[in-house]
Amino acid sequence: MSRFLVLTSAPEFERHLATALGQVHEFQILASEAAGGSPDHLMARNLGGPIDVMVFGPDVRTDQMLALAAGLEHAFPDIVLVLAAVTAPELTLAAMRSGIRDVLPPDTEAGRMREALEHAAKTSKSRKQGASEDASQNRARGRVISVMSPKGGVGKTTVATNLAVGLAKLAPMGAVIVDLDLQFGDVASGLGLEPQYTINDAATGAASSDAMVLKAFLSRHPSGAYAMCAPRRPADADLIKPAHVTTLINQLSLEFPFVILDTSPGLGEEVLAVLELATDGVWVCGMDIPSIRGLNHGLDVLRQLDLMPPSNTIVLNFADKRSGLTVQDVEATVGLPVDIILPWSRTLPFSTNAGVPLVQDNRRDPALKGLRNLIALFGPNSSSPASKHLNRRGEKP
């Protein structure tokens, strides 16, 4: 049984929540005004056992909710915070910044609300168990490499699939790629896979808490890499919440040396959630002004949210001197050095369409060298994130 603390003075939401949780879980309700106090004061009003999830009702004042959430995230990091509110980009971004891990419409169907809250509770228990295990066993986690781009159409999935296949060669059966473009993900087609299971199957049931069950939902690639593929239908993406994703990534990082995340374009809730777990960010950018500006804006947002991964790599795709832009122009705009240059290539997009990554068949192509340099960044002889960048580009000083 999980335990929930709910802040609301809205009778209708209280009844809806009671219907969703039923008699299976224990929950305590405090008036929404309680959000105006400190985290310690709020915990002193807790009449039961340890809290797994705190739910902010739709009637809680936004300023009080954001302040209290930030304090709870710092003082009680094991408690997962959920907000019931009509979703809006500005509110979601502010909530994520304060420590909220999921935003649910107050009228979410009871079954889906129960599922989302139960997964939030599992995340809380996983945090507590993980903290205990890390303290007692110091269990190592793999590198979580988030491949991202604020704009679509820049070859992000191509880079992610080649990276996964390349790392699988360095660490046989040690790399898994997760397709987090939940509506329109192309990892399966990019790897030539016909998955029997998708992330929807892994996000519910025993797989969310049992690593052996979770592995059964992965698809095996001939290179030795594993893949967790996107839902078969775009509508199924609505069933996957940020709490589901963070639980899965946590599980996979304990089982694989390399977890590669092919994220959706932009900075949606799932992307922001996984960035808290990412050890490395790989940013893919095209050699055009909209792509470069999009990357610059995306990096600025993450700096403001303090969600930049510890190590970041900029990959410039479709590099072409005839574009009217230079590498120096890109670097000056985004404020970071370009680490990997992938020249314009006919073969690279063709290989993705054929479902055979370029590093898999080693076809001669000007972009192959850059992809190998990217893979080498994460190999056993890779240099530290603060080292020089000339080897990453494969250029002489």
Side-chain angles (χ1 to χ4, degrees):
M1 177 181 287
S2 301
R3 192 160 189 281
F4 301 81
L5 182 62
V6 184
L7 303 183
T8 185
S9 297
E12 184 177 351
F13 178 69
E14 182 178 338
R15 288 192 295 269
H16 185 57
L17 197 62
T19 301
L21 294 176
Q23 303 297 320
V24 180
H25 301 289
E26 178 185 354
F27 64 95
Q28 176 185 349
I29 294 181
L30 295 178
S32 56
E33 290 77 9
S38 68
D40 290 331
H41 183 261
L42 187 66
M43 291 298 108
R45 299 181 63 181
N46 173 32
L47 301 179
I51 298 169
D52 297 308
V53 179
M54 180 173 293
V55 181
F56 293 93
D59 55 318
V60 176
R61 282 175 43 183
T62 300
D63 58 337
Q64 292 182 347
M65 177 272 294
L66 295 176
L68 180 58
L72 288 167
E73 177 73 2
H74 176 74
F76 302 95
D78 293 340
I79 299 176
V80 175
L81 308 177
V82 176
L83 171 63
V86 177
T87 56
E90 297 82 4
L91 177 61
T92 298
L93 200 60
M96 289 286 185
R97 182 186 302 175
S98 297
I100 300 291
R101 290 296 157 260
D102 202 356
V103 180
L104 300 170
D107 59 352
T108 299
E109 188 271 328
R112 290 191 178 184
M113 179 169 284
R114 180 178 62 253
E115 182 184 351
L117 293 177
E118 286 178 344
H119 273 277
K122 287 181 180 179
T123 300
S124 173
K125 295 181 187 301
S126 177
R127 287 181 181 181
K128 294 169 184 173
Q129 181 180 359
S132 175
E133 288 180 355
D134 290 344
S136 61
Q137 303 176 11
N138 195 25
R139 187 175 180 185
R141 291 181 179 270
R143 296 178 75 167
V144 178
I145 306 167
S146 186
V147 183
M148 297 168 287
S149 172
K151 303 285 286 186
V154 297
K156 175 177 54 60
T157 296
T158 297
V159 170
T161 50
N162 276 277
L163 180 59
V165 169
L167 291 176
K169 292 181 179 180
L170 296 179
M173 301 179 67
V176 58
I177 181 170
V178 182
D179 195 339
L180 293 182
D181 190 348
L182 299 176
Q183 285 190 310
F184 306 108
D186 286 322
V187 164
S189 60
L191 291 175
L193 297 173
E194 293 290 340
Q196 183 178 359
Y197 302 104
T198 71
I199 192 171
N200 286 87
D201 302 299
T204 59
S208 61
S209 57
D210 189 320
M212 293 303 294
V213 177
L214 176 59
K215 287 184 176 180
F217 291 108
L218 301 176
S219 301
R220 177 79 182 272
H221 186 261
S223 66
Y226 288 90
M228 178 172 286
C229 299
R232 295 182 179 87
R233 298 172 300 180
D236 292 341
D238 294 337
L239 303 175
I240 307 298
K241 302 299 180 182
H244 299 151
V245 174
T246 54
T247 298
L248 293 176
I249 302 308
N250 262 320
Q251 287 275 79
L252 292 171
S253 69
L254 290 171
E255 303 298 327
F256 291 89
F258 300 106
V259 181
I260 300 95
L261 311 178
D262 183 24
T263 64
S264 59
L267 296 174
E269 294 180 11
E270 290 81 10
V271 177
L272 295 177
V274 300
L275 278 172
E276 288 198 335
L277 307 175
T279 60
D280 302 87
V282 174
W283 300 88
V284 185
C285 176
M287 206 163 187
D288 59 89
I289 290 177
S291 178
I292 298 167
R293 285 179 175 171
L295 176 57
N296 182 49
H297 293 155
L299 292 172
D300 282 344
V301 170
L302 294 188
R303 291 186 185 106
Q304 293 173 21
L305 296 176
D306 196 23
L307 284 178
M308 285 286 285
S311 173
N312 292 277
T313 300
I314 305 295
V315 177
L316 182 60
N317 200 10
F318 310 125
D320 188 348
K321 295 179 179 179
R322 295 168 296 180
S323 68
L325 299 173
T326 66
V327 175
Q328 290 72 26
D329 293 330
V330 179
E331 294 177 332
T333 301
V334 303
L336 288 174
V338 171
D339 304 295
I340 301 294
I341 296 177
L342 303 180
W344 186 88
S345 161
R346 293 178 182 269
T347 308
L348 193 56
F350 175 80
S351 67
T352 302
N353 294 336
V356 183
L358 197 60
V359 298
Q360 182 181 351
D361 65 2
N362 291 318
R363 185 178 305 184
R364 293 185 63 182
D365 186 271
L368 182 58
K369 182 178 181 180
L371 290 171
R372 287 174 172 167
N373 288 336
L374 175 63
I375 295 163
L377 291 180
F378 304 97
N381 298 321
S382 62
S383 31
S384 66
S387 62
K388 295 180 180 179
H389 296 273
L390 61 95
N391 290 329
R392 297 184 176 190
R393 294 193 196 177
E395 297 175 347
K396 295 180 181 179

